[in-house]
Amino acid sequence: PMSTLKNFVAYNQTARGQTSFRVHGVVTVPSPAYEPVLVEPVRRHRGGWEVLELKLVDTGVIAMSVMTEKTVEYVHEGASGFKTLEIIHGSDNLRIAIEDIQAPN
């Protein structure tokens, strides 16, 4: 099943001396039974950018086939060394800039 992606942000966040790479956004899934997850693909760095794959996991819950918006989040310890993130989903690819954010202490 395919879905639409919107409001995605990617950033390296530094808080209390610890840096993490974070991505979150909104995914429209074909039914509430699907849970969107961002995973590292087997082949990661094909170019000079960060790559994550969006997968839809069927939770097995019996649910109506109604388009549902869900938030997806990905957190990785340490910063990404790249300035661009590509999210792969089927034949659709989304590219966004990776920001650097200093969290308030």
Side-chain angles (χ1 to χ4, degrees):
M2 294 299 292
S3 53
T4 54
L5 288 62
K6 70 179 187 183
N7 300 344
F8 267 79
V9 291
Y11 53 96
N12 291 315
Q13 177 178 291
T14 304
R16 296 177 293 286
Q18 298 291 317
T19 302
S20 56
F21 173 56
R22 297 170 178 266
V23 180
H24 55 84
V26 176
V27 180
T28 303
V29 294
S31 140
Y34 289 99
E35 208 52 56
V37 290
L38 287 167
V39 297
E40 294 179 9
V42 180
R43 288 183 61 225
R44 287 194 62 203
H45 302 295
R46 295 176 302 190
W49 57 84
E50 193 70 60
V51 177
L52 289 175
E53 188 175 352
L54 176 72
K55 291 186 181 273
L56 298 184
V57 177
D58 188 344
T59 60
V61 171
I62 303 300
M64 300 273 295
S65 287
V66 57
M67 297 302 266
T68 307
E69 287 193 347
K70 294 197 176 188
T71 303
V72 66
E73 191 171 33
Y74 173 87
V75 179
H76 185 274
E77 287 301 311
S80 168
F82 297 100
K83 290 289 167 228
T84 306
L85 167 67
E86 181 178 31
I87 297 173
I88 302 168
H89 181 57
S91 58
D92 289 346
N93 290 6
L94 174 70
R95 279 198 192 193
I96 53 174
I98 297 173
E99 321 265 337
D100 287 303
I101 295 178
Q102 191 76 32
N105 291 332

